[in-house]
Amino acid sequence: MVYRETPRVLERKQARRRKLLDVAIRLFARKGYHAATVPMIVRASGISTGTFYLYFSDKEHIFAAALEELGERISAAINQAMAAAGPDVLLHMQAAVRALVGFLADHPREARILIVESSGLGKRLDGVRRRIIGSHTRGVEQALAAMADRLPPMETAVVARCWVGAVYEAVFCWLEQPVMERIPTDQLAAAIAHFNLRGIGAPARTLEEDKDHGSRD
Amino acid sequence: MVYRETPRVLERKQARRRKLLDVAIRLFARKGYHAATVPMIVRASGISTGTFYLYFSDKEHIFAAALEELGERISAAINQAMAAAGPDVLLHMQAAVRALVGFLADHPREARILIVESSGLGKRLDGVRRRIIGSHTRGVEQALAAMADRLPPMETAVVARCWVGAVYEAVFCWLEQPVMERIPTDQLAAAIAHFNLRGIGAPARTLEEDKDHGSRD
Amino acid sequence: MVYRETPRVLERKQARRRKLLDVAIRLFARKGYHAATVPMIVRASGISTGTFYLYFSDKEHIFAAALEELGERISAAINQAMAAAGPDVLLHMQAAVRALVGFLADHPREARILIVESSGLGKRLDGVRRRIIGSHTRGVEQALAAMADRLPPMETAVVARCWVGAVYEAVFCWLEQPVMERIPTDQLAAAIAHFNLRGIGAPARTLEEDKDHGSRD
Amino acid sequence: MVYRETPRVLERKQARRRKLLDVAIRLFARKGYHAATVPMIVRASGISTGTFYLYFSDKEHIFAAALEELGERISAAINQAMAAAGPDVLLHMQAAVRALVGFLADHPREARILIVESSGLGKRLDGVRRRIIGSHTRGVEQALAAMADRLPPMETAVVARCWVGAVYEAVFCWLEQPVMERIPTDQLAAAIAHFNLRGIGAPARTLEEDKDHGSRD
DNA sequence: GATGAATGAGGCTTCATTCAT
DNA sequence: CATGAATGAAGCCTCATTCAT
């Protein structure tokens, strides 16, 4: 509050945090949580070890931050897609699946962090992961509630998790395949969306429009 | 030439391997792959370090063995349930879901190993995991193929993964809830099976029978 | 002394000892003292660990035995060559060098054991090594004494060691070269013998006969 | 940005590396490569394990560093002696032998590392050793080439190795003797130099000057 | 005599984190 | 604020040797 240059300093601080986080995301994605070491992150960032601990109190914290950022990016992508999808909730959901699949397909390494690397890392990090995936689940749950009248009765909480689990697992397996053998992203997204929409008992009409994408020939 | 009584020795060898594996499964389940250390396993087994490496060449190998055993137990449970489910493939699939959910619910710690702890552990272990979950996926795929004529056309490979992903994710979230807040296992299994069967476009008839289980009130 | 079959038993014992020793020599030669482990020797011999310790009280002992056998083989080769070399002591010495070089060149792996692997292995084994190489040195010393009148006065003990050191080092370096780049064994032996004979001040006459071997063109 | 006084820190770093290296040289010399353990070196240095690996990436590396340092010290000693030896190449060579013998005699433990302990330690370390001893050999070879016209024709590469082998073996044996029984260093050096000079066919004149040193009485 | 399962001390190395500068 | 040298607990694993069978 005394010096005018505070803003510039703040800026630099932000920049350093960013740098660290970017490098960390890349390394976590590439090598996994345990194999990506603090010394590595620090070296690749050109920032000193001490400074690292100035911005992140912990290795866990930087991983959590990475996870969180990922979650936000995904949410943004989904929200944007839903906003563009027109008024109908079912279309929203379909768009959401497509957006999620698209994002994961476009950022496979980052997807790996969320789907694979963030598992089994202890209470704290498991919690963060839950929160992020949970937010998707909740989104689905709310959508289900919003059109409860047009759907058969169901265990919405469970179904929402099925929905999300189906997306992640299908995309993950797809990512594990050699690029050459993968079906096109669109087709993948369509197939998943189709499965999920049918799974929640969406009225046949909606599905019809989608038919040509979801079937092979 | 004077080394008799091999049977007794063999027996003890088996017993030791078992002991080690049991303890390892417990520890891996409780603390995760990294936090469960070889010294811990050894201490808890009352067996020497050297002996450990006599039975498992590696920490990775004992984990793989644990995973594999789990896979077999699950497969056994599923196969048994399917055999008892009558002639129809759809009923088979329903039974399989119930069996899988039931198994995971009954062995939450072991489930944790497979679903959570076995992720992001490097090529070798990821491979083992894939194989196990993959075998479920293939089972689903075959079932889908077997009744292709009664189902709408679909991307079977993708759909099979959705199916499996839905089960695992739903069960896993359910396991994370405090016991008090969980819905009954049956109800969970029914909801998941319902979602999945609808997802593959199973004829309405089949689903009807199941209606009262899958809805809340 | 009670059973007639003692001889047959003894025979088998000998055979086992031999087997172990042969395998050990091969492994020590190939991998060095530390890298060649008892389990390896045992496995490669098809003989049990326990039995190993029946024949050799120690890993050190089997290595010592290997060394000793090598020493004997070399001595035998040298003695034989010397016996065939005619009456003159100088010719003896020349023949000895040729025989030693020849042996080491023909058994490079075994040579390695003696020259390289047997160094720095602790008091006991260093002693064995000394004894073996020392016996060569003493041979040289005696020869020097036997023709003291025909040679300039010298520090025979030191000179004998120089003689032996020259042979081993020259051969060893030669062995380290790619086979393609090596000069022929004969030429090597001649060059070394020439150096050594001159080194002890052998009368020019003797050397003359050898001229065509030791010089390049 | 507030990290001043680098010089003081650098100084301490140097000191630590030195300390570690000194202790390591002592221990390697006393107990050999395998028996001298990292924990030992660390304990004797009063430096932590982690710090050890900060300065030397490996146990092999610190041994290599020890070897290298030794090589440099020896080279320095030899070069200095040669520079002081006057213009003639033969005198140079004589001086070099004396310097080498003198050095090894004055630093018996270190000599042990180079001559004895550095053998049979695997590719990497064998390479380092070769390089060091090889540099002596090459020195001899160059000298031989420089006076080729004054010497009889010979296989210079082989002869150079004979020269070096003679020195090392003679000194090494001498070091193994109880101090009481050793002949004086000068006499040893003279005897070796004499042998070697004669071995390369050095003109009699040169040797004459040296006569009184090389003979016993 | 023969076997091979069992032992356990101890080796090498890593890495998250601190703290003097 | 920033630095990076220093820490040390703890991990994984090997292997010479013993001893019950």
Side-chain angles (χ1 to χ4, degrees):
Chain A
M1 291 284 180
V2 176
Y3 287 110
R4 285 279 161 259
E5 46 185 8
T6 302
R8 200 180 312 174
V9 168
L10 253 176
E11 214 170 80
R12 221 190 42 200
K13 283 183 58 172
Q14 286 304 322
R16 292 197 140 177
R17 213 190 114 94
R18 259 259 65 78
K19 178 75 184 170
L20 244 11
L21 198 51
D22 286 343
V23 169
I25 288 180
R26 212 183 57 227
L27 284 173
F28 283 137
R30 188 143 60 208
K31 334 194 62 155
Y33 179 76
H34 281 99
T37 69
V38 173
M40 274 175 188
I41 297 172
V42 155
R43 208 176 314 133
S45 307
I47 289 174
S48 75
T49 317
T51 305
F52 174 94
Y53 283 91
L54 234 48
Y55 290 100
F56 300 95
S57 58
D58 230 64
K59 191 189 176 186
E60 277 196 1
H61 274 81
I62 198 174
F63 188 78
L67 231 49
E68 227 123 67
E69 172 150 331
L70 225 65
E72 279 160 27
R73 283 198 225 160
I74 293 178
S75 290
I78 291 178
N79 289 333
Q80 193 179 326
M82 292 200 316
D88 189 71
V89 183
L90 271 180
L91 291 178
H92 274 190
M93 295 184 77
Q94 199 175 44
V97 168
R98 285 179 192 277
L100 179 50
V101 172
F103 183 93
L104 297 177
D106 288 351
H107 306 80
R109 308 219 96 118
E110 282 88 348
R112 221 192 125 69
I113 296 186
L114 186 58
I115 306 181
V116 181
E117 298 300 339
S118 66
S119 260
L121 255 31
K123 282 211 146 166
R124 206 172 134 2
L125 291 179
D126 268 17
V128 175
R129 179 194 207 224
R130 293 266 105 230
R131 271 225 336 276
I132 293 171
I133 298 194
S135 93
H136 300 175
T137 312
R138 262 190 313 285
V140 175
E141 229 177 315
Q142 284 164 9
L144 291 178
M147 25 175 224
D149 53 335
R150 294 155 59 198
L151 298 177
M154 70 182 87
E155 205 68 65
T156 48
V158 175
V159 166
R161 291 176 209 140
C162 287
W163 176 291
V164 171
V167 177
Y168 277 110
E169 178 69 12
V171 174
F172 181 57
C173 292
W174 181 80
L175 283 173
E176 296 252 309
Q177 292 180 300
V179 179
M180 301 292 302
E181 301 177 14
R182 295 184 193 162
I183 61 175
T185 313
D186 280 358
Q187 206 172 322
L188 174 72
I192 299 171
H194 209 78
F195 176 85
N196 276 350
L197 288 172
R198 254 206 296 247
I200 63 172
R205 269 175 297 115
T206 321
L207 299 175
E208 290 314 305
E209 314 165 18
D210 204 38
K211 207 176 202 169
D212 42 352
H213 288 112
S215 59
R216 191 161 248 158
D217 53 348
Chain B
M1 294 282 177
V2 189
Y3 196 60
R4 270 157 288 143
E5 245 161 342
T6 305
R8 189 127 83 201
V9 169
L10 252 173
E11 215 169 78
R12 240 216 355 228
K13 281 181 63 175
Q14 290 300 327
R16 294 204 127 173
R17 212 192 116 95
R18 260 260 67 78
K19 179 77 185 171
L20 242 13
L21 197 51
D22 286 343
V23 169
I25 289 180
R26 211 181 62 228
L27 284 173
F28 282 136
R30 188 141 65 209
K31 332 195 63 154
Y33 179 75
H34 281 98
T37 71
V38 172
M40 273 175 189
I41 296 173
V42 159
R43 211 177 307 132
S45 308
I47 287 174
S48 75
T49 315
T51 304
F52 174 94
Y53 285 93
L54 214 58
Y55 289 101
F56 301 96
S57 58
D58 232 60
K59 191 189 176 188
E60 275 197 2
H61 274 79
I62 199 175
F63 189 78
L67 232 49
E68 225 122 70
E69 171 151 331
L70 228 65
E72 277 160 29
R73 283 198 227 159
I74 293 179
S75 289
I78 291 178
N79 289 333
Q80 194 179 329
M82 292 200 317
D88 190 70
V89 182
L90 272 178
L91 292 178
H92 275 190
M93 294 184 78
Q94 198 174 47
V97 169
R98 283 180 195 276
L100 179 50
V101 172
F103 184 92
L104 298 176
D106 288 351
H107 306 81
R109 308 220 94 118
E110 283 88 348
R112 221 192 124 69
I113 296 187
L114 187 57
I115 307 180
V116 181
E117 299 300 340
S118 66
S119 259
L121 255 30
K123 281 213 147 166
R124 200 173 142 359
L125 292 180
D126 268 17
V128 175
R129 177 192 208 226
R130 294 263 105 231
R131 270 227 336 276
I132 294 171
I133 297 194
S135 93
H136 299 175
T137 312
R138 261 191 312 285
V140 175
E141 230 177 315
Q142 283 163 11
L144 291 178
M147 29 176 221
D149 53 334
R150 292 154 62 196
L151 299 177
M154 70 183 86
E155 203 70 66
T156 48
V158 176
V159 167
R161 293 177 207 138
C162 287
W163 176 292
V164 172
V167 177
Y168 278 110
E169 178 69 13
V171 174
F172 181 56
C173 292
W174 181 81
L175 282 173
E176 295 253 309
Q177 292 180 301
V179 179
M180 300 293 302
E181 300 177 15
R182 294 184 194 160
I183 62 176
T185 311
D186 279 358
Q187 207 171 320
L188 173 71
I192 298 171
H194 208 80
F195 176 85
N196 276 350
L197 288 172
R198 254 204 296 246
I200 63 171
R205 272 174 296 118
T206 321
L207 299 173
E208 290 316 302
E209 312 166 19
D210 203 40
K211 207 173 200 171
D212 40 354
H213 288 114
S215 58
R216 191 160 247 155
D217 51 347
Chain C
M1 291 286 180
V2 175
Y3 287 110
R4 284 280 161 260
E5 47 185 7
T6 304
R8 202 180 311 174
V9 168
L10 253 175
E11 216 169 78
R12 222 190 43 202
K13 283 184 59 174
Q14 285 304 323
R16 292 196 139 179
R17 211 191 115 94
R18 258 259 64 79
K19 180 75 182 170
L20 282 172
L21 199 50
D22 285 343
V23 169
I25 288 181
R26 213 182 58 227
L27 285 173
F28 282 137
R30 189 143 61 210
K31 333 193 64 155
Y33 180 76
H34 281 97
T37 69
V38 173
M40 274 174 188
I41 297 172
V42 155
R43 209 176 311 132
S45 307
I47 290 175
S48 76
T49 318
T51 305
F52 174 94
Y53 283 91
L54 234 47
Y55 290 100
F56 300 95
S57 60
D58 230 61
K59 191 190 177 186
E60 278 196 359
H61 274 80
I62 198 174
F63 188 79
L67 231 49
E68 226 121 69
E69 172 151 332
L70 226 66
E72 278 160 28
R73 283 198 227 160
I74 293 179
S75 289
I78 291 179
N79 288 334
Q80 194 180 328
M82 291 201 315
D88 189 71
V89 182
L90 272 179
L91 292 178
H92 275 192
M93 295 183 79
Q94 199 175 46
V97 168
R98 284 178 194 278
L100 179 50
V101 172
F103 184 92
L104 298 176
D106 288 352
H107 307 80
R109 306 221 98 117
E110 282 87 350
R112 223 192 124 70
I113 297 187
L114 186 59
I115 307 181
V116 181
E117 297 300 339
S118 66
S119 260
L121 254 30
K123 280 212 148 165
R124 207 173 134 359
L125 291 180
D126 267 18
V128 175
R129 179 194 206 224
R130 290 268 103 229
R131 271 227 334 279
I132 293 171
I133 298 195
S135 93
H136 300 174
T137 312
R138 261 190 313 285
V140 176
E141 229 176 317
Q142 284 163 10
L144 291 178
M147 29 177 218
D149 53 335
R150 291 155 61 197
L151 300 176
M154 71 183 84
E155 203 69 65
T156 49
V158 176
V159 166
R161 293 177 207 137
C162 286
W163 176 291
V164 172
V167 177
Y168 277 111
E169 178 69 12
V171 174
F172 181 56
C173 291
W174 181 80
L175 283 173
E176 295 252 309
Q177 292 180 301
V179 178
M180 300 291 303
E181 301 177 14
R182 293 184 194 161
I183 62 175
T185 313
D186 280 358
Q187 205 172 325
L188 174 72
I192 299 172
H194 209 77
F195 177 84
N196 276 350
L197 288 172
R198 254 204 298 245
I200 63 171
R205 268 174 301 116
T206 321
L207 300 174
E208 290 316 303
E209 313 164 19
D210 202 41
K211 206 174 201 171
D212 41 351
H213 288 113
S215 58
R216 194 160 245 157
D217 54 348
Chain D
M1 295 278 175
V2 188
Y3 195 61
R4 273 157 287 143
E5 244 159 343
T6 304
R8 189 128 83 202
V9 168
L10 252 173
E11 214 169 80
R12 239 211 1 221
K13 281 181 62 174
Q14 289 301 327
R16 294 204 128 174
R17 212 193 114 94
R18 258 259 67 78
K19 178 79 184 171
L20 242 13
L21 198 51
D22 286 342
V23 169
I25 289 181
R26 212 182 58 229
L27 284 173
F28 282 137
R30 188 143 62 210
K31 334 194 63 155
Y33 179 75
H34 281 99
T37 71
V38 173
M40 273 174 188
I41 297 173
V42 160
R43 210 177 308 131
S45 308
I47 287 175
S48 75
T49 314
T51 304
F52 174 94
Y53 284 92
L54 214 59
Y55 289 102
F56 300 95
S57 58
D58 231 60
K59 192 190 175 187
E60 275 197 2
H61 274 79
I62 198 174
F63 188 79
L67 231 49
E68 226 123 67
E69 172 151 332
L70 227 65
E72 278 160 28
R73 282 198 227 160
I74 292 179
S75 290
I78 290 178
N79 289 333
Q80 193 179 330
M82 291 200 317
D88 189 70
V89 182
L90 272 179
L91 292 179
H92 274 192
M93 294 184 78
Q94 197 174 45
V97 168
R98 284 178 194 278
L100 179 50
V101 173
F103 184 92
L104 298 176
D106 289 351
H107 306 81
R109 308 221 96 117
E110 283 88 349
R112 223 193 123 69
I113 296 186
L114 186 58
I115 306 180
V116 181
E117 299 301 337
S118 66
S119 259
L121 254 31
K123 281 212 147 166
R124 198 170 143 4
L125 292 180
D126 267 18
V128 176
R129 179 195 207 222
R130 292 262 105 232
R131 271 226 335 277
I132 294 173
I133 297 196
S135 93
H136 300 176
T137 311
R138 262 190 313 284
V140 175
E141 230 177 314
Q142 284 163 9
L144 291 178
M147 23 176 226
D149 52 334
R150 293 156 58 198
L151 298 177
M154 72 184 87
E155 203 70 67
T156 49
V158 176
V159 166
R161 292 178 209 136
C162 287
W163 176 292
V164 171
V167 177
Y168 277 111
E169 178 69 12
V171 174
F172 181 56
C173 291
W174 181 80
L175 282 173
E176 295 252 311
Q177 294 180 299
V179 179
M180 300 294 301
E181 301 177 14
R182 294 183 194 161
I183 63 176
T185 313
D186 279 359
Q187 207 172 323
L188 174 71
I192 299 171
H194 209 79
F195 177 84
N196 276 349
L197 288 172
R198 251 202 301 242
I200 63 171
R205 271 174 297 116
T206 321
L207 300 174
E208 290 315 303
E209 313 165 18
D210 204 40
K211 206 174 199 171
D212 41 353
H213 287 113
S215 59
R216 191 160 244 156
D217 52 348

